[in-house]
Amino acid sequence: MTALATAAMSSLAGTTNAQAAVAAAPVGSTTSAAYVSRIVVLVNAQRAAHGLRPLIVSPCASRFAAPWSTHMAATSTLVHQSLAPMLRCPARTAGENIAYGNVTADQMMTMWMNSPGHRANILNPAFTRIGVGAVRTTSGRWWATQDFVTPLTGA
């Protein structure tokens, strides 16, 4: 079983700590730096194939993505978080892709790219930073979050 959701928002206004993500993960679940890293590589490969600059991993965006994946896995609920707090990164825009499934990182990325809203976030030239979180439950289901931000000028 797989599922997808997407959100994007505009407003005026190093990577996440793996130990913290593991500590907050549901009992019996695991986080994977390799899964997260693979998603970032795949995002940037898609962007390069479309003539876009690669996204830079944002520690701030990662601090939103990693715990959100953990939250979704713990509650078995695919739902977006509020993007407004991400604007404190500081950022002027933010977007989010979420999904779950018993899938590899490559398959997760294919799901996102086959969905117009998710694809739009991944290929949005305004986004320059990304945070990714992923948690795998004991059933083998991955819960993943991509948080995109555009920093304020000079940030």
Side-chain angles (χ1 to χ4, degrees), residues 47-131:
R47 289 177 64 87
H50 290 85
L52 299 170
R53 290 182 177 212
L55 297 176
I56 299 166
V57 173
S58 162
C60 185
S62 296
R63 284 191 296 272
F64 288 96
W68 195 250
S69 294
T70 299
H71 169 78
M72 291 188 302
T75 61
S76 294
T77 305
L78 186 70
V79 63
H80 285 284
Q81 63 188 309
S82 170
L83 300 180
M86 278 183 238
L87 300 177
R88 293 189 300 242
C89 279
R92 59 184 159 97
T93 58
E96 178 170 84
N97 290 343
I98 57 175
Y100 71 86
N102 293 51
V103 296
T104 65
D106 290 64
Q107 291 167 324
M108 183 78 71
M109 190 65 192
T110 297
M111 289 173 13
W112 277 321
M113 289 304 292
N114 287 337
S115 165
H118 296 93
R119 181 183 182 89
N121 277 341
I122 291 164
L123 300 179
N124 185 335
F127 291 138
T128 59
R129 307 285 189 275
I130 190 171

Coordinates of all heavy atoms in Angstrom, one line a residue, residues 47-131:
R47 N 16.3 17.2 -10.7 CA 16.5 18.7 -11.0 C 17.5 18.9 -12.1 O 17.3 19.7 -13.0 CB 16.8 19.4 -9.7 CG 15.6 19.5 -8.7 CD 15.9 20.1 -7.4 NE 16.3 21.5 -7.6 CZ 15.5 22.5 -7.6 NH1 14.2 22.3 -7.5 NH2 16.0 23.8 -7.7
A48 N 18.6 18.2 -12.0 CA 19.7 18.3 -13.1 C 19.1 17.9 -14.4 O 19.4 18.6 -15.4 CB 20.9 17.4 -12.7
A49 N 18.3 16.9 -14.5 CA 17.7 16.4 -15.8 C 16.8 17.5 -16.4 O 16.6 17.5 -17.6 CB 17.0 15.1 -15.6
H50 N 16.3 18.4 -15.5 CA 15.4 19.5 -16.0 C 16.1 20.8 -16.0 O 15.5 21.9 -16.0 CB 14.2 19.5 -15.1 CG 13.3 18.3 -15.4 ND1 13.5 17.1 -14.7 CD2 12.3 18.1 -16.2 CE1 12.6 16.2 -15.2 NE2 11.9 16.8 -16.1
G51 N 17.5 20.8 -15.9 CA 18.2 22.1 -16.0 C 18.2 22.9 -14.8 O 18.4 24.1 -14.9
L52 N 17.9 22.3 -13.7 CA 17.7 23.1 -12.4 C 18.9 22.9 -11.5 O 19.6 21.8 -11.6 CB 16.5 22.7 -11.7 CG 15.2 23.0 -12.4 CD1 14.0 22.3 -11.7 CD2 14.9 24.5 -12.6
R53 N 19.2 23.8 -10.7 CA 20.3 23.7 -9.7 C 19.9 22.7 -8.7 O 18.8 22.5 -8.3 CB 20.6 25.0 -9.0 CG 21.2 26.0 -10.0 CD 21.5 27.3 -9.2 NE 22.2 28.2 -10.1 CZ 23.1 29.1 -9.7 NH1 23.4 29.2 -8.5 NH2 23.7 29.9 -10.6
P54 N 21.0 22.0 -8.1 CA 20.7 21.0 -7.0 C 20.2 21.8 -5.8 O 20.5 22.9 -5.5 CB 22.0 20.3 -6.8 CG 23.0 21.3 -7.3 CD 22.4 22.1 -8.4
L55 N 19.4 21.1 -5.0 CA 19.0 21.6 -3.7 C 20.1 21.3 -2.6 O 20.8 20.3 -2.7 CB 17.7 20.9 -3.2 CG 16.5 21.2 -4.1 CD1 15.3 20.4 -3.6 CD2 16.2 22.7 -4.2
I56 N 20.3 22.2 -1.7 CA 21.2 22.1 -0.6 C 20.4 21.6 0.6 O 19.4 22.1 0.9 CB 21.9 23.4 -0.3 CG1 22.7 23.9 -1.5 CG2 22.8 23.3 0.9 CD1 23.1 25.4 -1.5
V57 N 21.0 20.5 1.3 CA 20.3 20.0 2.5 C 20.4 21.1 3.5 O 21.4 21.7 3.8 CB 21.0 18.7 3.0 CG1 20.4 18.3 4.3 CG2 20.8 17.6 1.9
S58 N 19.2 21.5 4.0 CA 19.1 22.5 5.1 C 18.9 21.8 6.4 O 17.9 21.1 6.6 CB 17.8 23.4 4.8 OG 17.4 24.1 5.9
P59 N 19.8 22.1 7.4 CA 19.6 21.6 8.7 C 18.2 22.0 9.3 O 17.6 21.3 10.0 CB 20.7 22.1 9.5 CG 21.8 22.4 8.5 CD 21.1 22.8 7.3
C60 N 17.8 23.3 9.0 CA 16.6 23.8 9.5 C 15.4 23.0 8.9 O 14.5 22.5 9.7 CB 16.4 25.3 9.3 SG 14.9 26.0 10.0
A61 N 15.3 22.8 7.6 CA 14.2 22.1 7.0 C 14.3 20.6 7.5 O 13.2 20.0 7.7 CB 14.3 22.2 5.5
S62 N 15.4 20.1 7.7 CA 15.6 18.7 8.1 C 15.0 18.5 9.5 O 14.4 17.5 9.9 CB 17.0 18.2 8.1 OG 17.5 18.2 6.8
R63 N 15.1 19.6 10.4 CA 14.5 19.5 11.7 C 13.0 19.5 11.7 O 12.4 19.2 12.7 CB 15.0 20.7 12.6 CG 16.5 20.5 13.0 CD 16.9 21.5 14.1 NE 16.9 22.9 13.6 CZ 17.9 23.5 13.0 NH1 19.0 22.8 12.8 NH2 17.8 24.7 12.6
F64 N 12.4 19.8 10.6 CA 10.9 19.7 10.4 C 10.6 18.4 9.8 O 9.6 17.7 10.2 CB 10.4 20.9 9.6 CG 10.4 22.2 10.3 CD1 11.4 23.1 10.2 CD2 9.4 22.5 11.2 CE1 11.4 24.3 10.9 CE2 9.4 23.7 11.9 CZ 10.4 24.6 11.7
A65 N 11.4 18.0 8.8 CA 11.0 16.7 8.0 C 11.2 15.5 8.8 O 10.3 14.6 8.8 CB 11.9 16.7 6.8
A66 N 12.3 15.3 9.6 CA 12.6 14.1 10.3 C 11.5 13.8 11.4 O 10.9 12.7 11.4 CB 14.0 14.1 10.9
P67 N 11.2 14.8 12.3 CA 10.2 14.5 13.3 C 8.8 14.3 12.7 O 8.0 13.6 13.3 CB 10.3 15.6 14.3 CG 11.1 16.7 13.6 CD 11.9 16.1 12.5
W68 N 8.6 14.9 11.5 CA 7.2 14.8 11.0 C 7.0 13.4 10.4 O 6.0 12.8 10.6 CB 6.9 15.8 9.9 CG 5.5 15.9 9.6 CD1 4.8 15.4 8.5 CD2 4.4 16.3 10.5 NE1 3.5 15.5 8.6 CE2 3.2 16.1 9.9 CE3 4.4 16.8 11.8 CZ2 2.0 16.3 10.5 CZ3 3.2 17.1 12.4 CH2 2.0 16.8 11.8
S69 N 8.1 12.8 9.8 CA 8.0 11.4 9.4 C 7.7 10.5 10.6 O 6.9 9.6 10.5 CB 9.3 11.0 8.7 OG 9.4 11.7 7.5
T70 N 8.4 10.8 11.7 CA 8.2 10.0 12.9 C 6.8 10.1 13.4 O 6.2 9.1 13.8 CB 9.2 10.4 14.0 OG1 10.6 10.2 13.5 CG2 9.1 9.7 15.3
H71 N 6.3 11.3 13.4 CA 4.9 11.6 13.9 C 3.9 10.8 13.0 O 3.0 10.1 13.5 CB 4.6 13.1 13.8 CG 3.1 13.4 14.0 ND1 2.5 13.3 15.3 CD2 2.2 13.7 13.1 CE1 1.2 13.6 15.1 NE2 1.0 13.8 13.8
M72 N 4.1 10.9 11.7 CA 3.1 10.2 10.8 C 3.2 8.7 11.0 O 2.2 8.0 11.1 CB 3.4 10.5 9.3 CG 3.1 11.9 9.0 SD 3.1 12.3 7.2 CE 4.8 11.9 6.8
A73 N 4.4 8.1 11.2 CA 4.6 6.7 11.4 C 3.9 6.3 12.8 O 3.3 5.3 12.9 CB 6.1 6.3 11.4
A74 N 4.1 7.1 13.8 CA 3.6 6.8 15.1 C 2.1 6.8 15.2 O 1.4 6.1 15.9 CB 4.2 7.8 16.2
T75 N 1.5 7.7 14.3 CA 0.0 7.9 14.3 C -0.6 7.2 13.2 O -1.9 7.2 13.1 CB -0.4 9.4 14.3 OG1 0.2 10.0 13.1 CG2 0.2 10.1 15.5
S76 N 0.2 6.6 12.3 CA -0.3 6.0 11.0 C -1.3 6.9 10.3 O -2.3 6.5 9.8 CB -1.1 4.6 11.4 OG -0.1 3.7 11.9
T77 N -0.9 8.2 10.2 CA -1.7 9.2 9.6 C -0.9 10.0 8.6 O 0.1 10.6 9.0 CB -2.3 10.2 10.6 OG1 -3.0 9.4 11.6 CG2 -3.2 11.2 10.0
L78 N -1.3 10.0 7.3 CA -0.6 10.8 6.3 C -1.3 12.1 6.3 O -2.4 12.3 5.7 CB -0.8 10.1 4.9 CG 0.0 10.7 3.8 CD1 1.5 10.5 4.0 CD2 -0.4 10.1 2.5
V79 N -0.6 13.1 6.9 CA -1.2 14.5 7.0 C 0.0 15.5 7.0 O 1.0 15.2 7.5 CB -2.1 14.6 8.2 CG1 -1.3 14.4 9.5 CG2 -2.8 15.9 8.2
H80 N -0.3 16.6 6.4 CA 0.7 17.7 6.4 C 0.8 18.4 7.7 O -0.2 18.6 8.4 CB 0.4 18.7 5.3 CG 0.7 18.1 3.9 ND1 2.0 18.0 3.4 CD2 -0.1 17.7 2.9 CE1 1.9 17.5 2.2 NE2 0.7 17.3 1.9
Q81 N 2.0 18.8 8.0 CA 2.2 19.7 9.1 C 2.1 21.2 8.6 O 2.1 21.4 7.4 CB 3.6 19.5 9.7 CG 4.8 19.9 8.7 CD 6.1 19.5 9.2 OE1 6.5 19.9 10.3 NE2 6.9 18.8 8.4
S82 N 1.9 22.1 9.6 CA 1.8 23.5 9.2 C 3.2 23.9 8.6 O 4.2 23.6 9.2 CB 1.5 24.3 10.4 OG 1.7 25.7 10.1
L83 N 3.2 24.6 7.5 CA 4.5 25.0 6.9 C 4.9 26.4 7.5 O 6.1 26.7 7.3 CB 4.3 25.1 5.4 CG 3.9 23.8 4.7 CD1 3.8 24.1 3.2 CD2 4.9 22.7 5.0
A84 N 4.0 27.1 8.2 CA 4.4 28.4 8.7 C 5.6 28.4 9.6 O 6.5 29.3 9.4 CB 3.2 29.0 9.5
P85 N 5.8 27.4 10.5 CA 7.0 27.4 11.3 C 8.3 27.3 10.5 O 9.3 27.8 10.9 CB 6.8 26.2 12.3 CG 5.4 26.1 12.3 CD 4.9 26.4 11.0
M86 N 8.3 26.7 9.3 CA 9.5 26.6 8.5 C 9.9 28.0 8.0 O 11.1 28.1 7.7 CB 9.2 25.7 7.3 CG 9.3 24.3 7.6 SD 9.1 23.3 6.1 CE 7.7 22.3 6.7
L87 N 9.1 28.9 8.0 CA 9.5 30.3 7.6 C 10.5 30.9 8.5 O 11.1 31.9 8.2 CB 8.2 31.1 7.4 CG 7.3 30.6 6.3 CD1 6.0 31.5 6.2 CD2 7.9 30.5 5.0
R88 N 10.6 30.3 9.7 CA 11.6 30.8 10.7 C 13.0 30.3 10.4 O 13.9 30.6 11.1 CB 11.2 30.4 12.1 CG 9.9 31.1 12.6 CD 9.6 30.8 14.1 NE 9.5 29.4 14.3 CZ 8.4 28.8 14.8 NH1 7.3 29.5 15.1 NH2 8.4 27.5 15.0
C89 N 13.1 29.6 9.3 CA 14.5 29.0 9.0 C 15.6 30.0 8.7 O 16.7 29.6 8.9 CB 14.3 28.0 7.8 SG 13.7 26.4 8.3
P90 N 15.5 31.2 8.3 CA 14.3 31.9 7.8 C 14.1 31.7 6.3 O 15.1 31.5 5.6 CB 14.7 33.4 8.0 CG 16.2 33.4 8.0 CD 16.7 32.0 8.4
A91 N 12.9 31.6 5.9 CA 12.5 31.4 4.5 C 11.4 32.2 4.1 O 10.6 32.7 4.9 CB 12.2 29.9 4.4
R92 N 11.3 32.4 2.8 CA 10.1 33.2 2.3 C 9.1 32.3 1.7 O 7.9 32.7 1.6 CB 10.6 34.3 1.3 CG 11.3 33.8 0.1 CD 11.8 35.0 -0.7 NE 12.9 34.7 -1.6 CZ 12.7 34.3 -2.8 NH1 11.6 34.4 -3.4 NH2 13.8 34.0 -3.5
T93 N 9.5 31.1 1.3 CA 8.5 30.1 0.8 C 8.8 28.7 1.4 O 10.0 28.5 1.7 CB 8.5 30.0 -0.7 OG1 9.8 29.7 -1.2 CG2 8.1 31.3 -1.4
A94 N 7.8 27.9 1.4 CA 8.0 26.5 1.9 C 7.1 25.6 1.2 O 6.0 26.0 0.8 CB 7.8 26.4 3.4
G95 N 7.4 24.4 1.0 CA 6.6 23.3 0.4 C 6.9 22.0 1.0 O 7.9 21.8 1.7
E96 N 6.0 21.1 0.9 CA 6.2 19.8 1.5 C 5.6 18.7 0.6 O 4.5 18.8 0.1 CB 5.5 19.7 2.9 CG 5.6 18.4 3.6 CD 5.1 18.6 5.1 OE1 3.9 18.5 5.3 OE2 6.0 18.8 5.9
N97 N 6.3 17.6 0.5 CA 5.8 16.3 0.0 C 5.8 15.3 1.1 O 6.8 15.2 1.8 CB 6.7 15.8 -1.2 CG 6.5 16.7 -2.4 OD1 5.6 17.5 -2.6 ND2 7.5 16.5 -3.3
I98 N 4.8 14.5 1.2 CA 4.8 13.4 2.1 C 4.3 12.1 1.4 O 3.5 12.2 0.5 CB 3.9 13.7 3.4 CG1 2.5 14.0 3.0 CG2 4.6 14.8 4.2 CD1 1.6 14.2 4.2
A99 N 4.7 11.0 1.9 CA 4.2 9.7 1.3 C 4.5 8.6 2.3 O 5.4 8.7 3.2 CB 4.8 9.5 0.0
Y100 N 3.9 7.4 2.0 CA 4.3 6.2 2.8 C 4.1 5.0 1.8 O 3.3 5.1 0.9 CB 3.5 6.0 4.0 CG 2.0 5.7 3.9 CD1 1.6 4.3 3.7 CD2 1.0 6.6 3.8 CE1 0.3 4.0 3.6 CE2 -0.3 6.3 3.7 CZ -0.6 5.0 3.6 OH -2.0 4.6 3.4
G101 N 4.8 4.0 2.2 CA 4.7 2.7 1.4 C 5.8 1.7 1.7 O 6.8 2.1 2.3
N102 N 5.5 0.5 1.4 CA 6.5 -0.5 1.5 C 7.4 -0.5 0.3 O 7.3 -1.4 -0.6 CB 5.9 -1.9 1.7 CG 5.1 -2.0 3.0 OD1 4.3 -1.2 3.3 ND2 5.4 -3.0 3.8
V103 N 8.2 0.6 0.2 CA 8.9 0.8 -1.1 C 10.3 1.3 -0.8 O 10.6 1.8 0.3 CB 8.2 1.9 -1.9 CG1 6.8 1.5 -2.4 CG2 8.1 3.2 -1.1
T104 N 11.2 1.1 -1.8 CA 12.6 1.6 -1.7 C 12.5 3.1 -1.9 O 11.5 3.7 -2.3 CB 13.4 1.0 -2.8 OG1 12.9 1.5 -4.1 CG2 13.4 -0.5 -2.8
A105 N 13.7 3.8 -1.6 CA 13.8 5.2 -1.8 C 13.6 5.5 -3.3 O 12.9 6.5 -3.6 CB 15.1 5.7 -1.4
D106 N 14.1 4.7 -4.2 CA 13.9 4.9 -5.6 C 12.4 4.8 -6.0 O 11.9 5.7 -6.8 CB 14.7 3.9 -6.4 CG 16.2 4.2 -6.4 OD1 16.7 4.1 -5.3 OD2 16.8 4.5 -7.4
Q107 N 11.7 3.9 -5.4 CA 10.2 3.8 -5.7 C 9.5 4.9 -5.1 O 8.5 5.4 -5.7 CB 9.7 2.4 -5.1 CG 10.3 1.2 -5.9 CD 10.0 -0.1 -5.2 OE1 10.0 -0.2 -3.9 NE2 9.7 -1.1 -5.9
M108 N 9.9 5.4 -3.9 CA 9.2 6.5 -3.3 C 9.4 7.7 -4.2 O 8.4 8.5 -4.4 CB 9.8 6.8 -1.9 CG 9.2 7.9 -1.1 SD 7.6 7.5 -0.3 CE 8.1 6.4 1.0
M109 N 10.6 7.9 -4.7 CA 10.8 9.1 -5.6 C 10.0 9.0 -6.9 O 9.5 10.0 -7.4 CB 12.3 9.2 -5.9 CG 12.7 10.4 -6.6 SD 12.5 11.8 -5.5 CE 12.7 13.1 -6.7
T110 N 9.9 7.8 -7.4 CA 9.1 7.6 -8.6 C 7.6 7.9 -8.4 O 7.0 8.6 -9.2 CB 9.2 6.1 -9.1 OG1 10.5 5.8 -9.5 CG2 8.3 5.8 -10.3
M111 N 7.1 7.5 -7.2 CA 5.7 7.9 -6.8 C 5.6 9.4 -6.8 O 4.6 10.0 -7.4 CB 5.4 7.3 -5.4 CG 5.2 5.8 -5.4 SD 5.0 5.0 -3.8 CE 4.7 6.3 -2.6
W112 N 6.5 10.1 -6.2 CA 6.5 11.6 -6.1 C 6.5 12.2 -7.5 O 5.8 13.1 -7.9 CB 7.6 12.1 -5.2 CG 7.2 12.1 -3.8 CD1 6.0 12.4 -3.2 CD2 8.1 11.9 -2.7 NE1 6.1 12.3 -1.8 CE2 7.4 12.0 -1.5 CE3 9.5 11.6 -2.6 CZ2 8.0 11.8 -0.2 CZ3 10.1 11.4 -1.4 CH2 9.3 11.5 -0.2
M113 N 7.4 11.7 -8.4 CA 7.6 12.3 -9.7 C 6.4 12.0 -10.6 O 6.1 12.7 -11.6 CB 8.9 11.8 -10.3 CG 10.2 12.4 -9.7 SD 10.2 14.2 -9.7 CE 10.3 14.5 -11.4
N114 N 5.6 10.9 -10.3 CA 4.5 10.6 -11.1 C 3.2 11.4 -10.7 O 2.2 11.2 -11.3 CB 4.2 9.1 -11.1 CG 5.2 8.3 -11.9 OD1 5.8 8.9 -12.8 ND2 5.4 7.1 -11.6
S115 N 3.4 12.2 -9.6 CA 2.2 13.0 -9.1 C 2.5 14.4 -9.4 O 3.5 15.0 -9.1 CB 2.2 12.8 -7.6 OG 1.4 13.8 -7.0
P116 N 1.6 15.1 -10.2 CA 1.8 16.5 -10.6 C 2.2 17.4 -9.5 O 3.1 18.2 -9.6 CB 0.5 16.9 -11.3 CG 0.0 15.6 -11.8 CD 0.3 14.6 -10.7
G117 N 1.5 17.4 -8.4 CA 1.8 18.3 -7.3 C 3.2 18.1 -6.6 O 3.9 19.0 -6.3
H118 N 3.5 16.8 -6.4 CA 4.8 16.5 -5.9 C 5.9 16.8 -6.8 O 7.0 17.4 -6.4 CB 4.9 15.0 -5.6 CG 3.9 14.5 -4.5 ND1 2.7 14.0 -4.8 CD2 4.0 14.5 -3.2 CE1 2.1 13.7 -3.7 NE2 2.8 14.0 -2.7
R119 N 5.7 16.5 -8.1 CA 6.7 16.8 -9.1 C 6.9 18.3 -9.2 O 8.1 18.8 -9.3 CB 6.2 16.3 -10.5 CG 7.1 16.6 -11.6 CD 6.4 16.1 -12.9 NE 7.2 16.2 -14.0 CZ 8.1 15.3 -14.5 NH1 8.2 14.2 -13.9 NH2 8.9 15.6 -15.5
A120 N 5.9 19.1 -9.0 CA 6.0 20.6 -9.1 C 6.9 21.1 -7.9 O 7.7 22.0 -8.1 CB 4.6 21.2 -9.0
N121 N 6.7 20.5 -6.7 CA 7.6 20.9 -5.6 C 9.0 20.5 -5.9 O 10.0 21.3 -5.7 CB 7.1 20.3 -4.3 CG 6.0 21.0 -3.6 OD1 5.8 22.2 -3.9 ND2 5.3 20.3 -2.7
I122 N 9.3 19.3 -6.4 CA 10.6 18.8 -6.6 C 11.3 19.7 -7.7 O 12.5 20.0 -7.6 CB 10.6 17.4 -7.0 CG1 10.2 16.5 -5.8 CG2 12.0 16.9 -7.6 CD1 9.8 15.1 -6.1
L123 N 10.6 20.1 -8.7 CA 11.1 20.8 -9.8 C 10.9 22.3 -9.7 O 11.1 23.1 -10.7 CB 10.6 20.3 -11.1 CG 10.9 18.8 -11.4 CD1 10.3 18.4 -12.7 CD2 12.4 18.5 -11.4
N124 N 10.5 22.8 -8.6 CA 10.2 24.3 -8.4 C 11.6 25.0 -8.4 O 12.3 24.8 -7.4 CB 9.4 24.5 -7.1 CG 9.0 25.9 -6.9 OD1 9.6 26.9 -7.5 ND2 8.0 26.1 -6.2
P125 N 11.8 25.8 -9.3 CA 13.1 26.5 -9.3 C 13.3 27.5 -8.2 O 14.4 27.9 -7.9 CB 13.2 27.2 -10.7 CG 11.8 27.3 -11.1 CD 11.0 26.2 -10.5
A126 N 12.2 27.9 -7.5 CA 12.3 28.8 -6.4 C 12.9 28.2 -5.2 O 13.5 28.8 -4.3 CB 10.9 29.4 -6.1
F127 N 12.7 26.9 -5.1 CA 13.2 26.1 -3.9 C 14.7 25.9 -4.1 O 15.1 25.5 -5.1 CB 12.5 24.8 -3.7 CG 11.1 24.9 -3.2 CD1 10.1 24.1 -3.8 CD2 10.7 25.9 -2.3 CE1 8.8 24.2 -3.3 CE2 9.4 26.0 -1.8 CZ 8.4 25.2 -2.4
T128 N 15.5 26.2 -3.0 CA 16.9 26.0 -3.1 C 17.4 25.1 -2.0 O 18.6 24.8 -2.0 CB 17.6 27.4 -3.0 OG1 17.3 28.0 -1.8 CG2 17.3 28.2 -4.2
R129 N 16.6 24.8 -1.0 CA 17.0 24.0 0.2 C 16.0 22.9 0.4 O 14.8 23.0 0.0 CB 17.1 24.8 1.4 CG 17.9 26.1 1.4 CD 19.4 25.7 1.4 NE 20.2 26.9 1.5 CZ 20.6 27.7 0.6 NH1 20.2 27.5 -0.7 NH2 21.4 28.7 0.8
I130 N 16.5 21.8 0.9 CA 15.6 20.6 1.2 C 15.9 20.0 2.6 O 17.1 20.0 3.0 CB 15.7 19.5 0.1 CG1 14.6 18.5 0.3 CG2 17.1 18.9 0.0 CD1 14.5 17.5 -0.9
G131 N 14.9 19.5 3.2 CA 15.1 18.6 4.4 C 14.3 17.4 4.1 O 13.2 17.4 3.6

